Amino acid sequence: MPRDRSTPSHRGDISRRTVLQGAVAVGVLTHGQAVSSATVAAEQGEASKPMAPYIGSATSRVDGRDKVTGGAKYAGEFNAPGLVHASVIGSAIAKGRIARIDVSEAISVGGVVAVLTHENRPPMADDDKAYKDAVAPDQGSPFRPLYDDRIRFSGQPIALVLAENSETARFAASLVHVEYEPEKHVTDLYSKLNDVVSLKAPAKPRGDTASALASSPVRHHGEYYVPIEHHNPMEPYASTVIWEGGGKITIYDKTQGVQNVHGYVCNVFNLKPEDVRVMSPFVGGAFGSGLRPQYQVVLAVLAARALERSVRVVLTRQQMYSLGYRPAMIQRIDLGAETDGTLNAISHDATTVTSQYENFHRNETTWSGLLYKSANAKYAHNLVRLDLSTSCDMRAPSATTGVYALEAAMDELAVALKLDPLEFRLKCYSERDQSSGLPFSSKNLRECYRQGAEAFGWDKRSPEPRAMRDGRELVGWGMATGIWEALQVPIAVRIALTANGHAEVSCATSDIGTGTYTIMAQVAADMLGLPLDGVDIRLGDSTLPQSPVEGGSWIAASVSNGIVTTSRAVLKELLRLAKEMPNSPLATAAPEEVVLSGGMIVSRRDAARAVSIADAMQHDGVDRIVREETTRFARDSSHAHNTHSAIFAEVKVDEQLNVVRVTRVVSAVAAGRILNAKTAHSQVMGSVVWGIGMALHEETLIDHAFGRIMNANIAEYHVPVNADVQDIKVIFVDEKDEIVNPLGVKGLGEIGIVGVAAAIANAIYHATGKRVRALPITLDKLY
Amino acid sequence: MINFEYARANDVADAVRQIAADPTSKFIAGGTNLLDLMKEDVERPARLIDITRLPLSDVEETPDGGVRIGALVPNSDLAWHPLIAQRYPMLASAILAGASAQLRNMASTGGNLMQRTRCFYFYDTVTPCNKRQPGSGCSAIAGINRINAILGTSDTCIATHPSDMCVALAVLEAKVHVAGPGGERVIPFADFHRLPGDAPQRDTNLDANELITAVELPADGFAKNYTYLKIRDRLSYAFALVSVAVGLEMDGNTIRRARFALGGVAHKPWRDEAAEAGLNGKVANPEIFERAAGLVLRDAKGFEHNAFKIELARRTIVRALIQAAHGTPQSQNNKKIA
Ligand SMILES: Cc1cc2nc3c(=O)[nH]c(=O)nc-3n(C[C@H](O)[C@H](O)[C@H](O)COP(=O)(O)OP(=O)(O)OC[C@H]3O[C@@H](n4cnc5c(N)ncnc54)[C@H](O)[C@@H]3O)c2cc1C
Ligand code: SF4
């Protein structure tokens, strides 16, 4: 398969279905009806019987076969003649400067091509602006790899050894001698609490929280800690730069946004956009760590330019801990309520970690003001700048952490109120975004609570802690709410439809493992009335139509509706062609009145009025219709757009040894239309697993004396293993959203993790009577 | 990672000859520990002597009713070997509590004994560590020491030996057969691993020129009343915070002979004969188990992050003794604690 140098495209591989999905989906467009309830009038005999649409079905990944057979190539697997291999050297100190760097021994090793340092690197931009990628924090001066002698964090890349093979590069790296002038560093969040950067309040406060708290008969105050966590995607960060000659380069990069990397590389190296192509056909997980261009891509391009050769840079697992991370944070929550459970006041303070050179932050605190009915709310957010690399987004950034603290605090207040935690949340249920006062485009959280509780058996819960047991184990049941945003971003999609009934759909978005290839194929097949294997998807290539980074759970909604838009343009053109045919049965049909189905342009009113796509195109001598449309989502300032979930968790804790087992989790999610029942289920299941890790295992350990991460490997940085994951049930509750976008899709990448850690922490309290407010809840904290 | 040469040993004598001829060389068996350490530049052998082709892969009965395990028997083969599964289930259980299936497939019996500590600082060449670089200092004592030792520590090192298998071998009073330039010798298991003292760079009493050829188990395998209970930070695939191997000889409810050892708490599998003796002849009950645990831990010393291990060890000992006395050993599949 000569696929190496181009974006592979993906053709559906499930059994051919005979048609008619297009009619259904276009119905959505014209009438705003949900696919499931739309009816199809067409009756064209056996072959055109209405079939279930691909949208919503449990379609297996169209790229699944390539992935499990090794056909899918990742950034560090592309080859080129004469490829140069690299080994990155990281700083041993956390702050200071490089006094001397001696590469003579390394360079004398046979097979070593060069050693790049700040002293001999090719030119790169000298202004911050060039390094500001599309999702860089507003404030600060982005990190510039190998730029100068300054050390800003331990593990910072300070030299790149280049050799004919990777073994030689790695060996020579051990021969580079560095002398530092260290300066005093600070990596401990707690040691800098009186030296913070105060951020502008993330949302407008409402009411008078201080006095509402003071006058509330039942109050709770709690301080919650979340440590630094690392993403640990399976695929290491890697870039392979192909030196194409004539000043052109192709970069295979591990990224969540090829066009972001493209723009960044062009700016940093002052290159013409047409001379750089960035590809990322497959991504082995990123979870936010690949939103910003990472340093290995700069190193790889620097090296390729220095040598005028193709270069590959792959980070080791240990070096992956020198990239971004979920910031450590301290959150303080104050809640005040009436004795009947009416919430009076919420106060949420967060102090989060960033580097010395950039102010990265998200708004942990705003979720508290949004979620529950409370007349008074206030927020504060401080940043602590430490001698670490800049923190970054990690799955559901800010909600995973902010909602953890809120939901743990809500559980504590429910205990103080002697109310069932679920009942308490229902009492505070809000039909409006409490911060903006706007109604939701859709919010079926109530149904999440109901179906989740029922599937879990919540009504059998004994309210008192330590009241339920199973032999020597204490049994605890906890629950929490989850919330995330339903975001969508402008995106362009191109469709090329050929007369033989084949469509190529392209967009520069990524598939970071979420299943984007598959949902794109499903939506396109439905909209164009083609079988799944009549659709090829191309993505992960900066030369394709515009797409932002894949993050924030916005790609599914954006690209699926983008495909709807472009499909309509294709349909319009087909109808125009059909009308030009003599005695066209569609002569009087308006575009809204026809659908594409089974290779035909069909009237929705009268299925007998139909023209085959092939005929329409052939009549006009057209063999290809190509349309590219940009979809911009109308700003809807009269609604809030969110996804919600309810999580119920069961833990069993050995009474004597405090070993915790998460035996059951039920996650009920309301996230609008589910595009693919199977990949959606996987998204949420994976999120729950991560939530277990957040609750029980994950913590990046820094020795503050050295300013260094000490467990920078996946033997000692614990994530859940199979034994830690037992019964996970995922429920998608029906949620029709006719407002958010034509397809009613709200995204799923993040919502699944939000609230999980709180549900587990609350269950541990219910089991043991012990409240642990610092994650992860390792067993020593239960003694 | 440095460049190294690779050579194969043809037989035991050849292996010993090769290692004696070049002090910068090292044996490699499964490589699951050595290669990791080489990638971290902690081990920097100029030459690897591959011993995997030596005829040391048999598990055989000895004339006196024991079992002799060749040094190259993979951990998984050993755990599932019928002789071991039936007669030494504590050993099988301990092995299965360690690492992952993939690692156990590669790991050898000899390599398991020789695996090095997981102390974070030992692995990071940027930080001082007496074990890695004698005299440079111990970063763990005032650093992140949650996984470090509480028993038998010294001012120079508070590392633990990470093996699960060795904890069971300590209880079984195995013997380690080794071959060196001067011939063969046998090291009782209790003398195989060392305490750090003022030479933490030495994990064991094996000489640099010696090869482990076999591990010999005596006849008594405590197959009726035993357990291996491992407490860790996740339910599988993590090193022990504390583990306890127990072998009891019971007469009805009375303990005729007791042995137990702790893992995850010291520089070697930790046994305390006084504590064991205190159980002999007694009717099994939680009070005497508590007393035994108290005795073992009387000199335990915690550091900033690992003091919890003292209480954890106490409870784990008691629970493990209960499991063994009741004949309800800990399953390594069902993660619920028996
Ligand atoms: C991620 C991870 C998790 C792990 N978890 C656990 C765990 O939970 N519990 C546990 O007990 N272990 C665990 N291990 C460790 C594993 O058991 C050891 O790495 C393994 O037993 C070593 O055996 P090997 O044959 O691979 O040794 P090698 O790596 O080949 O060698 C290790 C050392 O032993 C020396 N050596 C090997 N054979 C001989 C011999 N015959 N004579 C003299 N010297 C010899 C070598 O020179 C080397 O110094 C884990 C390892 C990893 C990587
Ligand atoms: S405890 Fe031992 S291994 Fe760990 S840093 Fe100290 S000397 Fe090194």
Side-chain angles (χ1 to χ4, degrees):
Chain A
M1 252 187 346
R3 270 202 189 155
D4 286 13
R5 306 280 307 275
S6 67
T7 307
S9 55
H10 274 288
R11 195 169 264 246
D13 64 348
I14 70 163
S15 60
R16 191 175 268 270
R17 301 186 197 196
T18 30
V19 246
L20 258 214
Q21 303 84 3
V24 184
V26 174
V28 176
L29 270 181
T30 48
H31 302 295
Q33 292 164 316
V35 161
S36 53
S37 66
T39 48
V40 182
E43 249 322 328
Q44 298 181 344
E46 193 50 36
S48 60
K49 266 246 175 67
M51 297 278 298
Y54 290 113
I55 293 181
S57 70
T59 300
S60 291
R61 287 168 191 265
V62 297
D63 52 344
R65 190 183 173 81
D66 275 351
K67 282 191 168 168
V68 299
T69 56
K73 279 200 164 199
Y74 294 84
E77 298 182 314
F78 289 86
N79 265 314
L83 184 72
V84 176
H85 299 257
S87 179
V88 179
I89 298 176
S91 167
I93 64 165
K95 186 177 182 184
R97 58 176 290 273
I98 302 165
R100 212 170 72 86
I101 197 161
D102 176 4
V103 303
S104 54
E105 202 181 337
I107 205 92
S108 68
V109 173
V112 170
V113 181
V115 180
L116 285 187
T117 68
H118 65 279
E119 289 168 346
N120 65 348
R121 60 159 174 81
M124 56 202 286
D126 292 312
D127 58 317
D128 284 339
K129 226 179 109 226
Y131 294 85
K132 284 232 184 228
D133 66 278
V135 287
D138 295 340
Q139 292 168 322
S141 163
F143 175 60
R144 305 174 190 178
L146 296 196
Y147 185 77
D148 58 18
D149 62 353
R150 295 299 310 169
I151 301 294
R152 294 172 170 80
F153 57 93
S154 185
Q156 169 184 327
I158 55 172
L160 187 72
V161 181
L162 298 155
E164 301 294 348
N165 61 52
S166 65
E167 294 80 3
T168 305
R170 195 153 174 175
F171 167 53
S174 73
L175 304 175
V176 171
H177 306 289
V178 188
E179 280 169 34
Y180 301 94
E181 266 170 30
E183 289 164 26
K184 203 174 161 309
H185 64 259
V186 185
T187 53
D188 183 2
L189 162 62
Y190 282 94
S191 72
K192 273 195 79 177
L193 291 180
N194 47 18
D195 178 14
V196 300
V197 182
S198 286
L199 299 174
K200 215 177 98 227
K204 242 180 40 209
R206 55 180 185 269
D208 177 353
T209 305
S211 40
L213 275 172
S215 62
S216 288
V218 186
R219 283 191 295 267
H220 166 68
H221 168 79
E223 183 176 305
Y224 302 87
Y225 175 72
V226 182
I228 287 185
E229 296 165 0
H230 276 81
H231 307 71
N232 286 305
M234 196 136 66
E235 181 198 9
Y237 272 82
S239 304
T240 304
V241 177
I242 311 289
W243 189 255
E244 308 276 13
K248 289 190 191 295
I249 54 173
T250 301
I251 307 171
Y252 292 96
D253 189 36
K254 165 160 181 159
T255 175
Q256 292 175 243
V258 281
Q259 289 179 333
N260 188 25
V261 171
H262 178 265
Y264 173 84
V265 167
C266 290
N267 289 339
V268 168
F269 295 99
N270 194 23
L271 298 172
K272 290 202 259 9
E274 59 274 23
D275 288 345
V276 180
R277 182 178 186 189
V278 181
M279 316 261 281
S280 185
F282 293 98
V283 179
F287 312 111
S289 62
L291 290 169
R292 302 185 66 186
Q294 295 289 12
Y295 66 70
Q296 91 287 343
V297 73
V298 177
L299 298 183
V301 176
L302 268 176
R305 287 169 64 78
L307 304 176
E308 304 201 343
R309 286 177 67 175
S310 300
V311 175
R312 176 194 294 161
V313 179
V314 181
L315 299 190
T316 63
R317 177 60 61 184
Q318 286 75 357
Q319 287 166 346
M320 301 277 286
Y321 290 80
S322 57
L323 307 174
Y325 50 88
R326 196 195 287 292
M329 63 187 67
I330 300 165
Q331 298 182 76
R332 289 194 196 87
I333 304 231
D334 283 280
L335 300 173
E338 297 301 323
T339 51
D340 69 352
T342 306
L343 203 52
N344 290 334
I346 303 175
S347 162
H348 191 159
D349 267 35
T351 303
T352 63
V353 164
T354 188
S355 64
Q356 298 284 8
Y357 51 89
E358 275 175 317
N359 285 355
F360 172 84
H361 59 88
R362 295 282 177 239
N363 296 330
E364 332 293 314
T365 60
T366 44
W367 304 101
S368 289
L370 191 171
L371 190 53
Y372 295 119
K373 216 184 306 173
S374 165
N376 306 283
K378 74 175 170 64
Y379 327 90
H381 195 145
N382 292 325
L383 266 186
V384 167
R385 304 180 97 180
L386 297 175
D387 296 302
L388 298 170
S389 65
T390 306
S391 48
C392 75
D393 288 316
M394 185 191 286
R395 207 165 199 173
S398 81
T400 301
T401 45
V403 176
Y404 151 68
L406 172 68
E407 288 298 283
M410 285 292 282
D411 197 69
E412 298 204 48
L413 186 60
V415 171
L417 287 163
K418 297 194 170 51
L419 273 181
D420 176 86
L422 174 55
E423 192 188 328
F424 177 39
R425 283 168 178 84
L426 285 167
K427 264 192 184 294
C428 310
Y429 196 90
S430 174
E431 300 291 356
R432 288 168 180 276
D433 171 337
Q434 286 284 306
S435 295
S436 65
L438 297 173
F440 293 95
S441 64
S442 62
K443 174 174 176 177
N444 213 357
L445 174 59
R446 218 181 271 285
E447 201 49 25
C448 295
Y449 287 140
R450 198 188 65 72
Q451 290 185 30
E454 191 178 293
F456 187 82
W458 184 258
D459 59 340
K460 292 175 209 70
R461 179 180 187 266
S462 314
E464 291 303 312
R466 303 182 70 89
M468 294 161 54
R469 52 170 68 235
D470 172 9
R472 287 195 170 94
E473 286 180 318
L474 299 163
V475 178
W477 288 2
M479 59 87 53
T481 312
I483 179 168
W484 183 246
E485 293 167 280
L487 300 165
Q488 40 207 7
V489 286
I491 200 162
V493 171
R494 181 167 64 227
I495 296 178
L497 179 72
T498 43
N500 62 1
H502 175 265
E504 183 182 87
V505 180
S506 6
C507 173
T509 184
S510 321
D511 184 339
I512 55 174
T514 48
T516 312
Y517 276 115
T518 310
I519 58 145
M520 285 176 71
Q522 288 174 276
V523 175
D526 278 357
M527 297 314 296
L528 300 170
L530 297 175
L532 201 60
D533 60 3
V535 178
D536 273 2
I537 303 299
R538 293 185 63 209
L539 51 72
D541 177 345
S542 61
T543 62
L544 297 176
Q546 174 276 328
S547 169
V549 294
E550 177 160 25
S553 297
W554 59 53
I555 284 298
S558 307
V559 80
S560 60
N561 284 288
I563 292 171
V564 170
T565 310
T566 308
S567 300
R568 282 190 81 186
V570 171
L571 170 72
K572 243 175 150 166
E573 175 62 4
L574 282 168
L575 182 62
R576 189 185 70 75
L577 298 178
K579 286 185 181 198
E580 288 182 3
M581 294 171 72
N583 305 321
S584 172
L586 297 173
T588 60
E592 305 76 51
E593 291 165 13
V594 295
V595 295
L596 296 177
S597 114
M600 312 281 284
I601 313 156
V602 187
S603 162
R604 301 183 75 248
R605 300 221 174 107
D606 174 5
R609 286 165 56 199
V611 172
S612 97
I613 292 175
D615 288 350
M617 287 170 76
Q618 262 150 29
H619 178 262
D620 282 73
V622 175
D623 61 359
R624 240 161 91 87
I625 294 177
V626 182
R627 285 290 178 278
E628 180 176 328
E629 298 284 328
T630 297
T631 300
R632 279 174 234 285
F633 296 86
R635 256 194 77 210
D636 170 18
S637 47
S638 50
H639 294 95
H641 311 95
N642 292 87
T643 52
H644 293 88
S645 67
I647 304 101
F648 298 84
E650 174 182 87
V651 300
K652 295 192 174 172
V653 185
D654 186 90
E655 188 172 9
Q656 191 178 18
L657 296 170
N658 294 333
V659 171
V660 178
R661 301 188 304 133
V662 180
T663 44
R664 283 196 301 141
V665 177
V666 173
S667 172
V669 177
R673 182 197 301 286
I674 304 305
L675 287 168
N676 181 324
K678 191 170 183 177
T679 54
H681 184 273
S682 296
Q683 279 296 306
V684 176
M685 194 172 52
S687 291
V688 170
V689 172
W690 201 341
I692 293 172
M694 179 181 177
L696 301 182
H697 307 128
E698 294 197 41
E699 178 169 22
T700 300
L701 296 167
I702 296 176
D703 183 311
H704 299 304
F706 299 106
R708 238 171 127 75
I709 295 172
M710 297 312 301
N711 59 340
N713 60 74
I714 42 178
E716 301 296 349
Y717 181 105
H718 291 147
V719 299
V721 294
N722 278 336
D724 298 297
V725 180
Q726 300 192 35
D727 189 13
I728 298 175
K729 186 175 172 65
V730 178
I731 298 169
F732 292 110
V733 309
D734 254 2
E735 188 178 70
K736 293 199 176 90
D737 194 323
E738 299 178 357
I739 296 167
V740 68
N741 53 49
L743 283 176
V745 174
K746 291 165 86 178
L748 263 183
E750 347 259 328
I751 181 66
I753 190 175
V754 184
V756 179
I760 292 168
N762 296 342
I764 290 173
Y765 166 77
H766 184 237
T768 63
K770 181 140 188 169
R771 193 65 80 167
V772 178
R773 300 188 185 88
L775 298 182
I777 307 178
T778 46
L779 54 85
D780 47 304
K781 295 181 184 167
L782 292 167
Y783 279 99
Chain B
M1 189 177 191
I2 64 164
N3 278 346
F4 58 88
E5 281 174 34
Y6 170 87
R8 273 179 195 159
N10 299 318
D11 53 38
V12 169
D14 182 37
V16 171
R17 208 177 312 119
Q18 287 200 41
I19 197 125
D22 181 358
T24 65
S25 63
K26 270 201 134 351
F27 294 133
I28 180 162
T32 60
N33 190 218
L34 183 58
L35 291 178
D36 277 2
L37 290 166
M38 286 169 67
K39 288 186 211 160
E40 302 280 359
D41 270 324
V42 175
E43 299 272 18
R44 299 166 67 94
R47 198 172 130 90
L48 288 185
I49 305 168
D50 183 349
I51 57 171
T52 54
R53 281 167 181 77
L54 302 187
L56 302 173
S57 300
D58 291 330
V59 179
E60 9 168 63
E61 294 193 75
T62 57
D64 59 1
V67 168
R68 187 184 160 105
I69 304 159
L72 290 170
V73 176
N75 287 178
S76 28
D77 287 14
L78 186 58
W80 296 109
H81 194 285
L83 272 178
I84 303 300
Q86 283 153 29
R87 289 177 43 198
Y88 305 93
M90 179 212 305
L91 177 59
S93 180
I95 293 170
L96 294 177
S100 66
Q102 294 88 335
L103 282 159
R104 294 192 297 266
N105 285 341
M106 289 302 289
S108 67
T109 303
N112 195 309
L113 266 59
M114 297 298 290
Q115 66 173 296
R116 310 211 64 189
T117 187
R118 310 304 290 202
C119 176
F120 297 158
Y121 301 92
F122 178 68
Y123 265 78
D124 185 349
T125 53
V126 161
T127 61
C129 165
N130 287 326
K131 186 182 277 298
R132 182 170 23 80
Q133 202 184 341
S136 62
C138 170
S139 299
I141 289 175
I144 301 174
N145 46 40
R146 187 167 177 278
I147 66 170
N148 292 67
I150 53 171
L151 285 164
T153 54
S154 75
D155 299 344
T156 61
C157 180
I158 61 170
T160 64
H161 190 259
S163 169
D164 291 299
M165 185 178 89
C166 291
V167 185
L169 291 177
V171 169
L172 293 170
E173 297 192 345
K175 295 192 185 99
V176 185
H177 290 253
V178 309
E184 301 194 354
R185 65 179 179 124
V186 177
I187 309 174
F189 206 80
D191 299 334
F192 187 80
H193 294 101
R194 297 161 50 98
L195 289 182
D198 54 11
Q201 68 276 18
R202 290 201 61 190
D203 296 348
T204 71
N205 285 317
L206 191 78
D207 285 341
N209 292 343
E210 285 179 316
L211 173 81
I212 300 172
T213 53
V215 172
E216 186 186 333
L217 305 178
D220 192 353
F222 299 95
K224 269 176 78 180
N225 291 92
Y226 75 92
T227 197
Y228 186 72
L229 178 57
K230 176 178 180 180
I231 308 300
R232 51 196 142 179
D233 274 326
R234 60 185 167 194
L235 295 176
S236 180
Y237 200 21
F239 290 95
L241 291 168
V242 170
S243 69
V244 180
V246 184
L248 300 178
E249 195 183 311
M250 302 287 294
D251 183 357
N253 223 4
T254 303
I255 300 170
R256 295 245 322 259
R257 199 154 53 101
R259 282 195 208 152
F260 66 95
L262 274 65
V265 295
H267 203 257
K268 61 189 289 189
W270 191 264
R271 275 183 67 187
D272 187 318
E273 283 176 17
E276 292 174 0
L279 293 170
N280 296 342
K282 305 265 165 52
V283 172
N285 68 67
E287 286 84 79
I288 65 161
F289 295 160
E290 290 277 358
R291 209 172 317 133
L295 261 180
V296 176
L297 296 164
R298 63 194 179 276
D299 295 325
K301 176 179 161 207
F303 296 84
E304 188 182 350
H305 307 113
N306 75 348
F308 75 94
K309 279 191 178 185
I310 300 175
E311 178 61 15
L312 177 62
R314 192 182 65 75
R315 297 188 191 188
T316 311
I317 293 168
V318 172
R319 188 66 162 273
L321 285 166
I322 292 173
Q323 291 182 345
H326 289 185
T328 53
Q330 180 59 43
S331 156
Q332 301 304 340
N333 292 328
N334 183 351
K335 304 295 174 183
K336 178 173 177 155
I337 295 173

